[in-house]
Amino acid sequence: MRAILHILRKEFLQLRRDPNIVRLIFIGPIAQLLIFGFAINLDVNSVPMIVCDLDHSLQSHDFIARFENSGYFPIVAYVDRIGDIDDYLQRGKASIAITISREFGRKIAKGEPAQVQAIVDGSESSAASVGISYAQAIVAGYSQQVMLAGFARRGFGMLRPISVEPEIRVWYNPDLRSRNYILPGLLGMILMQATVVLTALAIVKEKETGTMEQLIVTPVKTWQIIIGKLAPFTIIGIIDILLALAGITLLFGIPVRGSLVTLGGLSALFILTTLGIGLFVSTVSSTQQQAMMTAMFFVMLPMNFLSGFIFPIENMPKLIQLVSYLLPLRYFFEIIRGIVLRGAGLDVLWPQVLALVVFAVGILTLSAVRFKKKLA
Amino acid sequence: MQKVSIEAHSLTKRFGSFTAVDDVSFSVAKGEIFGFLGANGSGKSTTIRMLTGLLQSTSGTATVAGYDINKQPEQVKMRIGYMSQKFSLYADLTVAENIRFWGGIYGLTDAKIAERRAWAIQTAGLEGREASLPSALPGGFKQRLALACAMLHEPEIVFLDEPTGGVDPIMRRRFWDLIRQLAEAGTTVFVTTHYLDEAEYCNRLMLIHAGRIIAGGSPQELKTQYIQNPVMEVETDRVIEAMNALSDDPRIEETSVFGTLLHVSIKPEYNAEDVIKSVLAAHNLPLHRAERIVPSLEDVFIHLLDQQGVTSDAS
């Protein structure tokens, strides 16, 4: 037991002298929190539009006003020739172009079908598809109004078309802000970064310099070395998660709806899995560079993209969805979003918790055995 | 007290199809400075790594301090110190912190650590530099500190794997003074080296080549037992031509260059001095001096490798 304390004290002495440590532990997580919180926004709030109104009628002005008033389509320019549209789209000054044909006003007035063309910049596919659906909604609303007006004029004033109006309520994240989806996930990301890479590097560094060999010839046990090496990074992970949690609640106003105790406990469980992965990476690497590369490309990259940090797993191909079941981060995302956004507890999250427990036990056992075999 | 400190029986280590250590047996007495001499890649480090528990042997057995290396590795680890070729103290811990850490790892109490720290600082000659980082220490001091740290728990046996690599000759000599002090105090020292001058400091030597032991004994025994022919040291201006001429003569067994001198071993039935004079005269080569010398370890080593067919050509 005293051996572990000696290793711990040594680790903290080394951490204190490490010039990069502040950057890794504090600046990194804070920078990510700010970037993901402020800059990365998947919500489509603004689809800049140009208008080519060839009609200049009362009706066409009314039609355009609907777009303008929706708030989603700031009009960047009015052009009079269809050919001018190209330039705006190509330069990226506008994402959608609406062309209103010459006979628009007259046809509407007569109750005939009228044409409107919308050209959408598809290079930004998600903004484009959201833009299209907004535009369709606006056009549909307009059509309905025109139709009703037509009926009224023809004396069917009493006749109301029967329509179903769904009343949609969004729970948990009523404004559908993607930030609320991403930021809790960031806790998982930050934890993973702090633990996987730092653990792997710290162990491989000792292999590189020869101190690990020196440790092995002492009577200290392998498990004592492992615990002594992993404990400091557990503490760093916990500091980081508190930091990130404070950030998302105080800075971005995302309250934690569920229990903080559950969140803390399950974070610690998640840390066990990432420490296990870090330990594993250290057993397959003999230099710090190798460890870094392995951690980046074989651990962090797939975890980033396949665990549902930004891109929902439901949208992925079936095969990838299956792969994501092997990633502990997937379960942690579900847990953390459940607790933070929905106020979920263990009663609903237990399948994810169970998956993490299995993963933690598995990876730690595997890595510890490999660690021992590699060294002895 | 046991007399034998280390005993190896047919110790063998294979890495795939490559045999790094091949059927090696030896024994080391307590308090002995035992040298393992060989070129790089000859199997020295592999042997030391098996004895210290860093590697599993493929076959064969060994006892260290009376304990089986494969069956009682923990008992062995308590009783040995190890210093590798690399400087393996923590570069980001101070001298005192390193001592405290390694002492703690060996399970010493705080009081004992304090006592051994004083010893280690004095042994390494680092009085007043307790708060320095090892990187700030001159080369030789690092080695002495590493050795002192490997000795904190007062092991019965200390394994030194090429301890003086990259150290200047004066510091090397001082390092060996330290090794001798440790041996005098009763510690068994198992040291590998490829420096032949260092081998002279050992009580007993094993010459290892390609994983096999090719000779063993005290430096004196090696010099007298393995080379029975008289060895002459020859001084001439034209060393290479003289060597070629001498090598071709059937009365001469071996010729090797030592700097600007030649060492020539002559078959015992001939008069050594006459042979050399006649050969050089026949080739019109000047002879400044020719005198009989006690063969050096290097002569022995070259002779033994020659016998192994290493230095001779394939033809």
Side-chain angles (χ1 to χ4, degrees):
Chain A
M1 216 43 220
R2 285 192 61 235
I4 295 180
L5 292 180
H6 280 282
I7 296 177
L8 274 179
R9 184 169 49 211
K10 183 215 76 172
E11 293 295 328
F12 281 113
L13 276 173
Q14 288 183 302
L15 283 177
R16 217 181 51 200
R17 295 217 174 101
D18 187 341
N20 294 327
I21 206 66
V22 173
R23 200 173 66 197
L24 283 167
I25 300 179
F26 297 109
I27 314 274
I30 292 171
Q32 288 184 72
L33 196 66
L34 296 179
I35 290 170
F36 282 100
F38 286 119
I40 300 196
N41 195 343
L42 301 180
D43 302 337
V44 179
N45 295 331
S46 162
V47 184
M49 184 170 87
I50 45 170
V51 176
C52 177
D53 183 1
L54 302 174
D55 196 41
H56 290 296
S57 61
L58 204 62
Q59 287 82 357
S60 69
H61 288 161
D62 181 34
F63 183 74
I64 293 163
R66 282 176 167 264
F67 275 88
E68 222 175 344
N69 295 339
S70 74
Y72 292 109
F73 296 96
I75 295 172
V76 290
Y78 290 92
V79 295
D80 291 322
R81 294 186 333 167
I82 295 176
D84 293 343
I85 289 172
D86 273 15
D87 190 52
Y88 283 92
L89 289 180
Q90 228 160 39
R91 286 169 192 263
K93 287 184 176 162
S95 302
I96 188 168
I98 298 280
T99 308
I100 299 166
S101 61
R102 201 150 280 150
E103 299 290 291
F104 183 84
R106 196 177 54 80
K107 283 181 175 169
I108 293 282
K110 282 166 68 179
E112 285 172 20
Q115 263 87 45
V116 173
Q117 186 196 45
I119 299 171
V120 178
D121 171 9
S123 59
E124 260 185 80
S125 60
S126 73
S129 64
V130 176
I132 290 170
S133 59
Y134 289 164
Q136 277 171 341
I138 290 169
V139 173
Y142 182 75
S143 303
Q144 199 182 26
Q145 190 210 317
V146 168
M147 221 155 66
L148 291 177
F151 287 149
R153 253 201 327 276
R154 283 172 212 175
F156 299 113
M158 301 305 289
L159 205 70
R160 291 256 154 165
I162 298 164
S163 65
V164 178
E165 281 189 36
E167 189 188 300
I168 298 173
R169 292 221 176 118
V170 178
W171 281 13
Y172 309 127
N173 182 9
D175 302 331
L176 289 178
R177 277 189 302 203
S178 62
R179 178 196 282 165
N180 290 19
Y181 177 76
I182 292 175
L183 284 187
L186 194 60
L187 295 183
M189 293 288 293
I190 288 172
L191 263 189
M192 182 177 74
Q193 289 161 357
T195 46
V196 173
V197 178
L198 291 184
T199 309
L201 287 184
I203 295 173
V204 173
K205 185 179 170 194
E206 294 222 19
K207 282 210 261 181
E208 257 184 340
T209 55
T211 46
M212 189 54 86
E213 195 175 277
Q214 198 70 44
L215 275 175
I216 304 298
V217 297
T218 71
V220 68
K221 307 265 189 310
T222 311
W223 63 268
Q224 292 173 322
I225 300 178
I226 292 178
I227 291 179
K229 290 295 294 185
L230 297 193
F233 299 103
T234 313
I235 295 168
I236 289 174
I238 289 170
I239 294 174
D240 274 349
I241 202 164
L242 290 176
L243 208 64
L245 208 54
I248 68 169
T249 49
L250 302 178
L251 201 57
F252 296 104
I254 304 171
V256 180
R257 294 213 170 86
S259 146
L260 275 173
V261 175
T262 315
L263 184 61
L266 296 183
S267 300
L269 173 62
F270 176 67
I271 292 176
L272 288 183
T273 71
T274 55
L275 292 176
I277 294 171
L279 190 60
F280 184 83
V281 169
S282 79
T283 66
V284 296
S285 319
S286 42
T287 64
Q288 292 188 68
Q289 222 166 8
Q290 268 177 17
M292 193 76 195
M293 288 297 167
T294 311
M296 293 297 271
F297 291 112
F298 292 98
V299 181
M300 311 268 267
L301 213 63
M303 291 258 230
N304 272 353
F305 289 111
L306 305 182
S307 301
F309 173 46
I310 292 180
F311 312 110
I313 296 173
E314 294 74 33
N315 295 354
M316 295 175 189
K318 268 277 169 300
L319 184 70
I320 303 288
Q321 292 199 22
L322 287 178
V323 172
S324 77
Y325 282 108
L326 298 174
L327 305 175
L329 195 53
R330 177 208 164 113
Y331 304 106
F332 190 60
F333 281 154
E334 288 170 358
I335 288 171
I336 203 155
R337 284 180 184 135
I339 295 175
V340 173
L341 298 178
R342 298 198 301 272
L346 284 173
D347 50 332
V348 292
L349 294 173
W350 67 266
Q352 283 84 355
V353 174
L354 190 65
L356 278 189
V357 169
V358 169
F359 194 93
V361 171
I363 189 80
L364 280 171
T365 312
L366 175 73
S367 308
V369 168
R370 273 191 64 89
F371 185 82
K372 200 170 170 143
K373 231 174 94 185
K374 283 294 245 186
L375 297 170
Chain B
M1 285 300 278
Q2 86 263 5
K3 288 282 284 179
V4 175
S5 215
I6 307 172
E7 193 146 36
H9 294 289
S10 303
L11 211 52
T12 299
K13 180 69 189 179
R14 276 190 274 279
F15 295 105
S17 61
F18 171 67
T19 306
V21 174
D22 193 0
D23 195 24
V24 162
S25 302
F26 56 86
S27 84
V28 181
K30 190 172 169 359
E32 207 175 15
I33 302 177
F34 183 86
F36 229 51
L37 186 65
N40 287 327
S42 56
K44 301 182 305 247
S45 288
T46 308
T47 306
I48 231 175
R49 292 168 65 84
M50 284 191 283
L51 293 174
T52 51
L54 285 166
L55 270 181
Q56 285 272 327
S57 59
T58 309
S59 64
T61 57
T63 57
V64 171
Y67 294 95
D68 189 298
I69 53 166
N70 292 318
K71 294 183 192 134
Q72 297 154 300
E74 301 308 317
Q75 300 292 341
V76 172
K77 285 175 176 181
M78 311 261 287
R79 290 168 177 81
I80 61 168
Y82 169 69
M83 179 187 163
S84 75
Q85 335 180 11
K86 284 194 212 169
F87 175 74
S88 46
L89 300 182
Y90 292 98
D92 45 3
L93 296 187
T94 65
V95 170
E97 285 164 351
N98 263 299
I99 293 171
R100 183 171 186 201
F101 173 71
W102 291 108
I105 283 298
Y106 276 106
L108 306 186
T109 62
D110 287 346
K112 187 74 188 166
I113 291 174
E115 179 198 323
R116 293 300 286 166
R117 176 169 54 219
W119 171 85
I121 295 282
Q122 192 221 332
T123 302
L126 288 172
E127 289 92 345
R129 308 206 56 172
E130 289 87 343
S132 304
L133 291 179
S135 52
L137 303 175
F141 286 99
K142 282 192 220 176
Q143 252 85 0
R144 290 163 69 99
L145 177 63
L147 177 57
C149 281
M151 297 289 301
L152 289 173
H153 57 305
E154 301 172 86
E156 292 170 34
I157 304 160
V158 61
F159 290 89
L160 310 173
D161 193 4
E162 307 226 356
T164 54
V167 176
D168 67 68
I170 295 162
M171 288 308 289
R172 252 166 68 191
R173 192 173 288 267
R174 288 182 59 186
F175 189 82
W176 274 91
D177 288 341
L178 180 56
I179 291 178
R180 228 171 349 211
Q181 282 170 29
L182 294 176
E184 272 162 24
T187 311
T188 306
V189 179
F190 184 106
V191 56
T192 70
T193 182
H194 58 258
Y195 292 116
L196 288 143
D197 58 330
E198 288 189 352
E200 299 271 5
Y201 297 119
C202 297
N203 300 124
R204 227 144 51 78
L205 282 171
M206 289 280 166
L207 261 57
I208 183 166
H209 175 73
R212 291 175 157 275
I213 288 179
I214 55 174
S218 69
Q220 199 52 39
E221 282 166 353
L222 284 170
K223 287 176 208 169
T224 53
Q225 280 175 10
Y226 290 89
I227 299 191
Q228 271 124 21
N229 299 340
V231 176
M232 301 291 288
E233 189 170 77
V234 175
E235 196 181 337
T236 169
D237 294 337
R238 290 148 77 179
V239 178
I240 300 299
E241 286 157 285
M243 186 181 78
N244 290 334
L246 290 163
S247 315
D248 289 343
D249 195 281
R251 292 167 293 180
I252 288 167
E253 197 132 77
E254 271 171 16
T255 314
S256 42
V257 182
F258 278 69
T260 59
L261 303 171
L262 286 173
H263 284 193
V264 185
S265 114
I266 294 114
K267 292 182 181 165
E269 55 268 34
Y270 305 103
N271 178 310
E273 211 170 327
D274 291 349
V275 172
I276 287 169
K277 277 182 181 157
S278 67
V279 173
L280 292 184
H283 287 80
N284 273 327
L285 292 163
L287 172 66
H288 301 314
R289 184 168 62 85
E291 61 186 322
R292 180 151 183 184
I293 53 161
V294 177
S296 69
L297 274 178
E298 198 162 345
D299 293 308
V300 179
F301 204 44
I302 290 169
H303 169 74
L304 287 165
L305 291 181
D306 246 350
Q307 285 189 330
Q308 297 282 316
V310 174
T311 54
S312 61
D313 290 339
S315 61

